[in-house]
Amino acid sequence: MPLVYSIFVPHPPLLVPEIGQGEERKCSATLEAYRYLARSLYEAQIDTVVLVSPHTPLLRDGVVILQDETLRGDFAQFGVPKVKLLFSNNQLLAGTLAKELPGGVLTSGKLDHGALVPLYFLQEAGWDGKLVVMSMPLENPEGYGEIIRDILKSYAEPIALVASGDLSHRLKNDGPYGFHPSGPQFDTKIFEGLSREPSAIKKIPRDLAEEAGECGWRSLRLALAVQQGLPRVLSYEGHFGVGYLAAELYQSSPLPQWARQCLEAYLNKGTTQGLTVPDVPLLQLRRPCFVTLHKDGDLRGCIGTTAPFRENLAQEIEHNAIAAGREDPRFWPVEAEELPSLTISVDVLGEMEKISGMDELDPWRYGVVVRGRGRTGLLLPRLEGINTAQEQVDIAKRKAGLGPDEPVEMWRFEVVRYFE
């Protein structure tokens, strides 16, 4: 998968120092997050950025993609025409997207401020790669994201996705569109969705989004659909009556890539001999882990341990990846032809901490281990559809073959989840 990085960023022109003239310092958290994300993208050695802007011309049914060999724009409409940006267009990818996306249209045009603001900070960080700029779809952004995901699989160079968008424009009476109660409600749902359950974001009522006066809901939903990740909100501010949220949506990791190599080698050759372990210091440490396989969004296998049994994490992942594919008793063994349709994640577990009650649990932060009658059940954190500690413990008990009212000892643990 060449997509290695995905972010969501706001686009207020006043963040650009030449425009803000000091006012940008009132959004210091947003500026700090922006520069962190831009630097991270640059350090990932990204060849092409696909940028989704809500201010590129919008179609009711389809998307607009800029086709010019050189993509350029300036901030003249904001009083600083001397601040100009230009980038080479990845015309091959732009053409493919226009052909494969429903209602895709190629057109000529200048970069709008929804693209220019993110690009200003990318250029400031040193990035000077190729660019593809497209509008966001007004309908079914998840469907467009899934098609983009499939298209990107055929590209060899590393690609990043930048989803541009502001949240509600109706947070304050003196904001650009005044105040509406739906404004803060909408922003809260976006923040909580990214922090807990990203799938909830697409379920936000459309009338709430419209009343909030947002312009980033669809671009965010598209980006979340392109690649599953563990979103991390870096900042949120609403000083000027508009919600500015900056988040890291997805970052690829060599850990699940190593798991895939091991499973693929075993399925095709019956052995993992000859594989080279990635040069990642974490893989040489002793850590317990779980390897999880999904197919078309559904669980396909998950095996792991709560304590390390092998020499290092690399060997732990190797063993658990093969076991998840071949030995999970809940599923038929995975076959080699299924590999392209699988997504793989690796959870590296922290220390176990004994707890006295469910008030010490949070299913979005902690996993849980229950033990009773010599039986043990474990449930990882951040599982879709599990929102309370009671639900988490009940499921862990069922996995252990224990009744819902049986007394148990409990431990909690944190994990770091890595995606391909």
Side-chain angles (χ1 to χ4, degrees):
M1 177 85 179
L3 184 72
V4 299
Y5 202 50
S6 178
I7 62 176
F8 178 76
V9 289
H11 51 245
L14 66 83
L15 287 181
V16 176
E18 291 89 341
I19 298 173
Q21 296 292 309
E23 287 291 292
E24 74 277 4
R25 290 195 287 271
K26 295 180 181 179
C27 299
S28 58
T30 301
L31 279 172
E32 182 179 352
Y34 230 127
R35 287 179 168 134
Y36 169 83
L37 293 169
R39 185 171 62 252
S40 298
L41 188 150
Y42 169 73
E43 291 174 351
Q45 299 181 325
I46 300 299
D47 182 87
T48 295
V49 164
V50 176
L51 195 152
V52 182
S53 170
H55 296 291
T56 295
L58 301 178
L59 300 176
R60 173 58 57 184
D61 298 303
V63 291
V64 171
I65 302 167
L66 299 185
Q67 66 180 352
D68 306 279
E69 183 177 356
T70 300
L71 301 175
R72 63 184 77 224
D74 59 54
F75 289 101
Q77 69 179 109
F78 302 101
V80 285
K82 293 183 179 180
V83 181
K84 301 177 180 180
L85 299 176
L86 60 88
F87 295 87
S88 297
N89 191 354
N90 187 331
Q91 291 180 301
L92 176 61
L93 179 54
T96 302
L97 289 170
K99 179 180 178 182
E100 298 295 332
L101 293 174
V105 175
L106 288 170
T107 189
S108 297
K110 293 180 64 176
L111 296 171
D112 61 84
H113 76 275
L116 285 169
V117 175
L119 291 170
Y120 176 93
F121 290 99
L122 291 184
Q123 181 172 274
E124 180 186 70
W127 183 79
D128 62 352
K130 297 178 182 178
L131 180 64
V132 173
V133 175
M134 61 178 286
S135 66
M136 66 181 188
L138 293 176
E139 302 291 340
N140 191 25
E142 287 79 18
Y144 281 81
E146 291 167 2
I147 296 172
I148 292 172
R149 176 190 61 205
D150 293 338
I151 291 171
L152 296 184
K153 288 179 180 179
S154 64
Y155 282 79
E157 69 269 18
I159 295 173
L161 178 66
V162 175
S164 173
D166 296 333
L167 300 189
S168 173
H169 289 62
R170 308 193 69 180
L171 300 180
K172 292 185 176 182
N173 288 327
D174 59 353
Y177 297 99
F179 174 78
H180 193 287
S182 294
Q185 292 175 26
F186 174 83
D187 285 14
T188 297
K189 287 183 178 294
I190 294 291
F191 184 92
E192 291 180 347
L194 289 175
S195 302
R196 286 181 169 271
E197 190 172 359
S199 64
I201 290 175
K202 67 181 179 182
K203 301 174 185 177
I204 294 175
R206 182 180 294 225
D207 57 352
L208 178 66
E210 291 176 352
E211 291 169 352
E214 55 74 36
C215 72
W217 184 39
R218 293 168 179 83
S219 62
L220 174 60
R221 288 165 58 191
L222 180 147
L224 290 171
V226 172
Q227 178 63 40
Q228 180 187 17
L230 190 61
R232 184 164 64 106
V233 175
L234 299 179
S235 69
Y236 173 80
E237 296 180 302
H239 301 306
F240 297 100
V242 180
Y244 303 147
L245 183 143
E248 189 174 65
L249 304 180
Y250 161 76
Q251 186 171 22
S252 67
S253 167
L255 272 64
Q257 294 168 10
W258 169 241
R260 179 179 291 277
Q261 289 179 47
C262 294
L263 179 57
E264 183 175 16
Y266 184 83
L267 293 180
N268 288 322
K269 303 176 183 177
T271 179
T272 58
Q273 290 185 359
L275 294 181
T276 300
V277 177
D279 185 16
V280 178
L282 177 59
L283 288 173
Q284 300 307 318
L285 303 179
R286 295 194 77 224
R287 293 286 190 276
C289 75
F290 275 71
V291 175
T292 303
L293 314 178
H294 281 89
K295 182 178 181 180
D296 300 325
D298 296 323
L299 184 65
R300 186 64 179 86
C302 181
I303 294 290
T305 56
T306 58
F309 287 92
R310 289 157 190 87
E311 182 178 336
N312 54 39
L313 180 58
Q315 293 182 14
E316 210 78 44
I317 291 174
E318 176 185 342
H319 176 273
N320 292 342
I322 296 170
R326 302 297 293 176
E327 299 174 17
D328 190 327
R330 298 169 294 179
F331 304 96
W332 291 105
V334 170
E335 301 294 340
E337 55 267 23
E338 293 182 77
L339 284 168
S341 62
L342 296 181
T343 59
I344 302 177
S345 62
V346 173
D347 286 292
V348 179
L349 278 60
E351 297 293 328
M352 293 286 164
E353 179 183 5
K354 192 170 184 180
I355 59 175
S356 57
M358 282 190 289
D359 59 335
E360 298 178 69
L361 285 173
D362 178 346
W364 296 100
R365 178 178 179 183
Y366 298 110
V368 66
V369 172
V370 300
R371 290 176 183 161
R373 290 196 290 114
R375 300 180 177 184
T376 299
L378 177 147
L379 204 67
L380 296 170
R382 295 188 290 273
L383 297 179
E384 186 173 338
I386 300 174
N387 298 304
T388 68
Q390 185 67 61
E391 292 172 332
Q392 188 182 37
V393 170
D394 287 348
I395 294 173
K397 283 184 174 181
R398 288 202 298 270
K399 292 180 70 175
L402 299 170
D405 298 322
E406 289 193 62
V408 293
E409 293 182 294
M410 294 189 295
W411 286 258
R412 70 183 186 185
F413 60 92
E414 294 187 272
V415 308
V416 178
R417 182 165 295 163
Y418 298 92
F419 295 87
E420 288 185 274

